[in-house]
């Protein structure tokens, strides 16, 4: 239902997002398939505070000792457990998913430490350099990441999804702001795009974004 990503670089692992609460074993099992141990996960970047992305952060901190990164607007929610602070209504058709992974009491994670707060245009000195792109709308403190490897890899978080085609996230805190974030991503150059929900676009991804949200594209409704 939700994707997380392990980047392998210079014998270290960087984890992007942590899944719903209880995902830590599956994530670390994936690291072991790469011949790595939990302690090889040295950095964890969380794209936004929603429990399907930050849910296993505290547990993974305990197991790995990794340094953690978030935008300050969402880091405060994770540190203080303010999971209901920004409640919004899901898009039509996504009510069940929303109830199970965003607002259900059992979905709420433990509070967690955020070691480093990151801002727009920061370049994190990990995995060979990860550029931070502030993409609010779905969440005020949401970030995307642009990795220079492999022709450019965009980690779009929930600024968009790609389930049977590129689409809006299941909810917006602010739809107008979210549209600006989508247009911002459509102006970038990258070969591959990944999403919190849905399949990766493995080639020509920037062109797909430009056709959907670039200059001259039809303005999406809703």
């Amino acid at each position: 239902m939700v994707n997380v990503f392990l980047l392998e670089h210079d014998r270290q692992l960087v984890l992007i997002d942590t899944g719903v609460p209880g995902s830590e074993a599956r994530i670390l099992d994936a690291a072991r398939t790469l011949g790595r141990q939990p302690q090889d996960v040295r950095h964890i970047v969380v794209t936004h505070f929603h429990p399907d992305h930050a849910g296993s952060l505290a547990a993974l901190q305990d197991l790995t000792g990794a340094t953690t990164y978030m935008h300050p607007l969402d880091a405060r929610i994770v540190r203080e457990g303010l999971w209901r602070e920004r409640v919004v209504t899901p898009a039509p058709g996504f009510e069940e998913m929303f109830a199970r992974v965003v607002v259900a009491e059992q979905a709420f994670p433990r509070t967690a430490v955020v070691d480093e707060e990151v801002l727009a245009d920061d370049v994190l000195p990990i995995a060979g350099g990860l550029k931070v792109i502030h993409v609010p709308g779905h969440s005020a403190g949401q970030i995307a990441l642009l990795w220079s490897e492999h022709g450019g890899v965009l980690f779009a978080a929930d600024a968009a999804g790609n389930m049977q085609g590129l689409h809006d996230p299941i909810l917006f805190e602010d739809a107008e702001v979210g549209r600006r974030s989508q247009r911002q991503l459509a102006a970038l150059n990258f070969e591959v795009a990944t999403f919190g929900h849905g399949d990766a676009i493995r080639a020509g991804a920037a062109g797909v974004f430009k056709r959907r949200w670039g200059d001259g594209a039809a303005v999406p409704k809703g």
Side-chain angles (χ1 to χ4, degrees):
M1 183 173 291
V2 61
N3 299 319
V4 306
F5 303 94
L6 280 169
L7 310 186
E8 190 175 23
H9 191 273
D10 288 343
R11 303 296 298 175
Q12 292 186 350
L13 296 177
V14 175
L15 177 65
I16 299 175
D17 285 336
T18 68
V20 298
S23 300
E24 61 273 9
R26 290 182 66 188
I27 291 170
L28 295 179
D29 283 347
R32 292 185 182 97
T33 68
L34 299 173
R36 301 286 188 263
Q37 296 303 312
Q39 293 73 23
D40 294 323
V41 180
R42 302 310 310 139
H43 306 276
I44 302 173
V45 185
V46 179
T47 60
H48 59 293
F49 81 92
H50 290 163
D52 53 332
H53 292 259
S56 295
L57 179 59
L60 285 163
Q61 286 177 315
D62 293 343
L63 293 167
T64 68
T67 302
T68 59
Y69 308 79
M70 287 187 76
H71 190 280
L73 290 176
D74 279 17
R76 183 178 68 88
I77 292 175
V78 169
R79 289 182 179 123
E80 300 179 24
L82 303 175
W83 307 107
R84 291 191 183 276
E85 183 170 276
R86 299 204 298 262
V87 175
V88 292
T89 302
F94 288 100
E95 292 87 354
E96 181 181 355
M97 180 189 297
F98 181 77
R100 281 194 291 149
V101 303
V102 178
V103 298
E105 289 288 350
Q106 65 268 26
F108 287 7
R110 293 161 46 198
T111 58
V113 173
V114 177
D115 299 305
E116 301 284 345
E117 294 186 348
V118 301
L119 299 171
D121 297 324
D122 285 351
V123 179
L124 306 183
I126 57 179
L130 284 172
K131 184 174 181 178
V132 174
I133 306 160
H134 185 208
V135 284
H138 177 69
S139 168
Q142 180 175 239
I143 59 171
L145 299 161
L146 187 60
W147 194 29
S148 61
E149 303 287 324
H150 308 292
V153 180
L154 175 70
F155 297 91
D158 283 1
N162 190 44
M163 295 182 286
Q164 299 182 343
L166 198 61
H167 60 80
D168 287 340
I170 68 168
L171 60 91
F172 283 122
E173 287 181 357
D174 187 315
E176 183 177 350
V177 171
R179 295 275 181 243
R180 287 202 298 268
S181 292
Q182 290 166 340
R183 291 193 293 271
Q184 179 184 7
L185 295 178
L188 302 176
N189 291 315
F190 47 90
E191 182 65 16
V192 177
T194 74
F195 307 87
H197 305 279
D199 296 330
I201 302 173
R202 299 181 180 274
V208 179
F209 270 71
K210 286 178 172 62
R211 287 190 291 275
R212 183 74 168 85
W213 291 303
D215 291 343
V219 177
K221 296 180 180 180

